[in-house]
Amino acid sequence: MQSQGRLYIVGIGPGGREYRSRRAEEAIREAEYIIGNKSYLELIEDLTKGKRIIKSRMGEEIDRAKRALVLSEEHKVAIVSGGDPNVYGMAGIVLEVAEKSGRDFDIEIIPGITSANAVASVLGAPLNNDFAVISLSDLLTPWEVIERNLSAVAEAEFVIVLYNPRSRSRVGNFKRAIEIIRRFRADDTPVGIVKNCTREGERRIITNLRSVLTYDDEVDMHTTVIIGNRESRIWKDWIITPRGYHRKYRI
Ligand code: SAH
């Protein structure tokens, strides 16, 4: 017999309600159970009245995924991730747990605007060429691997987006990452810092690799940092990474 259950893994975007997708809102409205971190649940309070809410904490992702899958055999369940569920979000762990269980589930993954995109728009056009996304959290990835990835992308021609710049276990991660990138990139490489993007208290800083560490105190778990490539420049209050039109056309 076909059950009525379904699991939505929903990306709710960077925070501001106007940046949620219509499909994300539909899925949350349809769900009987909503599962997520306290901070994400607060961002969708307008959609969750009267629903069964399961609050979970960081570090409980495996239990959260298991519980969501079991409930989804009988009920409509939405498990929410900030930004996009594929970018350091819940999509991976839910599918891994489902795979391990050997059972069949009805799952839909709903994309969201990830921080890289939201932050890029606040800064101008910093991502407009090849870019790489790196998380500085060493809770699940060994720091040696993070360092290796940082060196590889800094040596190559990628704009670099840093997520999780401040890790609870290692407060010096951001400083270390900047030191590695400076081995390969010039001091005047543009750097953009955006905190609480599209949320209350949004703050944006445009600086460069030479001066970025003077803002070290501003960088927290709600901050994303974008480091330009060798062609990125600052124009007025914006960062521009040229796409390459100037090589082919007169602008
Ligand atoms: N799935 C999320 C990322 C989760 S990792 C996404 O797609 O955006 C958590 C990290 O995302 C934070 O440490 C921070 O670097 C970034 N982040 C999340 N929300 C943010 C916001 N509103 N403004 C700036 N950075 C944010």
Side-chain angles (χ1 to χ4, degrees):
M1 200 190 79
Q2 188 76 31
S3 95
Q4 291 303 296
R6 176 161 239 221
L7 178 57
Y8 295 109
I9 309 174
V10 185
I12 60 166
R17 284 178 192 176
E18 58 282 26
Y19 295 99
R20 296 190 302 225
S21 75
R22 206 165 298 166
R23 185 71 191 132
E25 295 192 344
E26 263 170 22
I28 293 167
R29 283 210 180 89
E30 206 186 291
E32 187 184 341
Y33 287 89
I34 312 287
I35 306 183
N37 280 350
K38 188 166 171 276
S39 61
Y40 298 148
L41 292 169
E42 279 168 12
L43 294 170
I44 55 167
E45 255 169 3
D46 57 310
L47 301 172
T48 59
K49 267 192 203 84
K51 296 185 184 289
R52 296 171 191 227
I53 306 286
I54 302 176
K55 275 189 197 158
S56 54
R57 286 196 300 247
M58 249 174 68
E60 297 176 344
E61 288 84 1
I62 298 177
D63 288 341
R64 196 189 317 172
K66 284 185 179 156
R67 191 145 177 217
L69 283 163
V70 169
L71 278 170
S72 78
E73 293 186 300
E74 303 280 338
H75 306 273
K76 298 250 176 8
V77 179
I79 185 163
V80 293
S81 268
D84 183 271
N86 252 286
V87 184
Y88 315 117
M90 288 300 294
I93 185 62
V94 173
L95 291 191
E96 281 187 82
V97 171
E99 174 191 38
K100 187 85 188 287
S101 77
R103 301 212 300 274
D104 283 332
F105 298 96
D106 182 357
I107 296 174
E108 178 180 336
I109 300 167
I110 300 170
I113 296 176
T114 190
S115 304
N117 296 135
V119 162
S121 293
V122 167
L123 295 170
L127 289 190
N128 229 322
N129 214 323
D130 295 350
F131 66 93
V133 172
I134 296 187
S135 165
L136 298 188
S137 168
D138 55 355
L139 291 174
L140 302 173
T141 303
W143 180 252
E144 298 70 50
V145 174
I146 298 174
E147 278 200 353
R148 203 181 328 130
N149 289 348
L150 279 168
S151 300
V153 298
E155 184 174 13
E157 201 48 33
F158 292 105
V159 174
I160 304 169
V161 186
L162 300 178
Y163 280 61
N164 295 308
R166 170 105 33 202
S167 184
R168 235 164 282 191
S169 60
R170 204 193 273 248
V171 286
N173 286 13
F174 182 59
K175 186 164 178 276
R176 285 193 188 86
I178 294 296
E179 281 163 1
I180 292 168
I181 295 166
R182 286 189 77 180
R183 288 185 209 143
F184 302 96
R185 302 259 167 118
D187 283 350
D188 61 354
T189 303
V191 177
I193 301 173
V194 182
K195 195 161 151 172
N196 292 317
C197 190
T198 81
R199 295 187 195 167
E200 221 182 287
E202 180 181 286
R203 176 157 158 71
R204 103 203 247 285
I205 295 163
I206 291 190
T207 179
N208 57 33
L209 270 181
R210 184 188 304 109
S211 307
V212 62
L213 288 177
T214 59
Y215 299 99
D216 196 26
D217 290 346
E218 299 275 346
V219 171
D220 64 10
M221 284 308 280
H222 306 287
T223 306
T224 298
V225 180
I226 298 187
I227 293 142
N229 68 13
R230 291 177 186 83
E231 289 192 312
S232 302
R233 56 182 185 262
I234 295 173
W235 170 66
K236 293 184 187 275
D237 206 14
W238 301 108
I239 298 178
I240 303 176
T241 298
R243 169 77 179 82
Y245 288 102
H246 62 287
R247 279 191 276 273
K248 204 157 178 203
Y249 305 99
R250 185 161 350 144
I251 299 175

